[in-house]
Every structure is written in structure tokens, then in C-alpha cells.
Amino acid sequence: MSDVEMCVNTSLGGMKVTRDIYRIVFIFIEDRQLNVDMSILDIFDFDIILGMTRLSQYYAFLDCHKR
């Protein structure tokens, strides 16, 4: 955990504050390993949110039609 608070604007129009930051967490998506820093937010209906900067770093392609 961090001693610094981080404010995050959510896509739902609100702001969440957290101190729960975990450095260098390994996430596996199919055959890819992503190294990310994670913040724990008190929101529901989302398992994980990856930003566009992180996704573009790994050349992610999202096919929303096929889900």
C-alpha cells in the first residue's frame, strides 16, 4: 500500500480515491504477460480496467463485435 492518495476519474462520471496500489502485477491474457501497476477501487461491475496507453503498448486489438 502507498502513503499517497490517488484520485481516479471513473467512466461512470465519479471520482474514487485510493491508497491501495500494487506495483508490478503480472496479468496473463491468452499467451501474453502484461506487467502492470494496479489500483484497487471501490466500484462494481468491473473486474479490471486497462487503459488505452497500456493496451497500445502491447499492441492490443479489441473486437467488440465478437466479444
Side-chain angles (χ1 to χ4, degrees), residues 41-52:
L41 301 175
D42 185 24
I43 58 176
F44 299 96
D45 296 329
F46 293 98
D47 294 324
I48 189 169
I49 301 170
L50 297 174
M52 294 300 293

Side-chain angles (χ1 to χ4, degrees), residues 18-54:
T18 184
R19 287 185 178 200
D20 299 331
I21 301 170
Y22 298 91
R23 302 282 180 202
I24 310 175
V25 176
F26 300 109
I27 298 175
F28 294 91
I29 301 176
E30 293 201 8
D31 62 340
R32 293 281 208 162
Q33 175 181 318
L34 285 67
N35 304 332
V36 299
D37 294 337
M38 297 196 70
S39 303
I40 307 301
L41 301 175
D42 185 24
I43 58 176
F44 299 96
D45 296 329
F46 293 98
D47 294 324
I48 189 169
I49 301 170
L50 297 174
M52 294 300 293
T53 303
R54 177 65 60 190

